Amino acid sequence: MSSTFDTIANIIAETCDIPRDSITPESHAINDLGIDSLDFLDIAFAIDKAFGIKLPLEQWTQEVNDGKATTDQYFVLKNLAARIDELVAAKGA
Amino acid sequence: MRLEYFQLIDRVTDLNLSDRTIRTENTVPSASTVFEGHFPGYPLMPGVLLIETMAQTSGWLVVALNKFDRMPFLAAVKDAKFRTFVVPGMVLAVEAKLEHDGSGYAVTNAKITSAGKPICDATITLRVMPFPNDEIRQHMRAQAGRLGVPSEETAHG
């Protein structure tokens, strides 16, 4: 069974045509991989479907805009994977 | 349909909030300046307007599901296929089903048929945002009345 990171890295590689081996847990989806907001909608759709969750993108965006969070917390892929794991765990609780 | 005003929906014939589906019916006008250029002597409904018709139908579904609190904007179109020419006077039946209700976006599958014959289909992604201003919200409310969008009380589901 692949890890959460592997799943999202594969989704990003396929959705955005980015070489899979250039995507690491430390990659920032926006700053390092150059993913824009429209492509991220496709990624979010694929993640939502793959994990059976609803990434709270609006809440995250609001937190970043309000200065309550940094983009690193949500868009560095190891952190994104951790957030997804939390959402999956909350769903099953 | 008033092509020049991008009013592509004539009426909502069914809205089912529990199934997350909508149907609209729309008649291609017999004359329009659009047909003067597309094409002279051979009028065809442009494919981009068929896309817009599916997007607007999908949009009304999203508006209704969000209880007129959010506004959808077209963000992406995938797998669009145009199977049959559409000419002036044709009646277009449009169906859309919500495939996914994301955070700040929605994805629908939409298709158009005419007299049971497939016309086109596509997967549509909409950004879903707060209304940018009250003028648009009031405009959408007024349009909903014109189109016969069922109120929350009379919509299925």
Side-chain angles (χ1 to χ4, degrees), chain B residues 21-57:
Chain B
T21 58
I22 189 172
R23 295 172 189 266
T24 65
E25 188 174 277
N26 320 284
T27 302
V28 180
S30 56
S32 165
T33 54
V34 169
F35 298 134
E36 293 174 15
H38 194 281
F39 296 96
Y42 194 65
L44 292 178
M45 176 85 156
V48 290
L49 292 181
L50 295 172
I51 293 277
E52 180 69 18
T53 303
M54 291 189 287
Q56 289 189 11
T57 297

Side-chain angles (χ1 to χ4, degrees), chain A residues 11 16 24 26 34-35 45 51 55 65 80 87:
Chain A
I11 287 172
C16 300
T24 74
E26 307 299 327
I35 297 169
F45 179 37
F51 293 95
L55 285 184
N65 290 343
L80 177 61
L87 290 164

Side-chain angles (χ1 to χ4, degrees), chain B residues 43-117:
Chain B
L44 292 178
M45 176 85 156
V48 290
L49 292 181
L50 295 172
I51 293 277
E52 180 69 18
T53 303
M54 291 189 287
Q56 289 189 11
T57 297
S58 299
W60 282 112
L61 173 61
V62 171
V63 166
L65 286 168
N66 283 280
K67 299 178 171 43
F68 283 84
D69 193 42
R70 316 266 285 170
M71 178 76 183
F73 294 92
L74 181 59
V77 179
K78 290 185 182 158
D79 300 326
K81 292 180 179 157
F82 305 94
R83 303 175 188 279
T84 309
F85 285 163
V86 173
V87 300
M90 283 177 75
V91 177
L92 305 179
V94 190
E95 299 175 34
K97 179 175 178 59
L98 190 73
E99 165 79 8
H100 184 66
D101 178 27
S103 172
Y105 73 99
V107 180
T108 69
N109 291 320
K111 69 176 179 181
I112 300 179
T113 60
S114 185
K117 190 174 181 181

Side-chain angles (χ1 to χ4, degrees), chain A residues 10-60:
Chain A
N10 290 339
I11 287 172
I12 289 170
E14 185 172 335
T15 303
C16 300
D17 200 20
I18 294 172
R20 173 63 182 83
D21 58 9
S22 69
I23 303 170
T24 74
E26 307 299 327
S27 299
H28 189 298
I30 302 165
N31 298 341
D32 297 329
L33 302 178
I35 297 169
D36 66 16
S37 63
L38 183 57
D39 280 336
F40 205 83
L41 285 189
D42 280 342
I43 292 166
F45 179 37
I47 288 174
D48 284 0
K49 284 208 299 185
F51 293 95
I53 58 172
K54 182 170 175 175
L55 285 184
L57 294 180
E58 289 182 295
Q59 177 192 326
W60 292 355

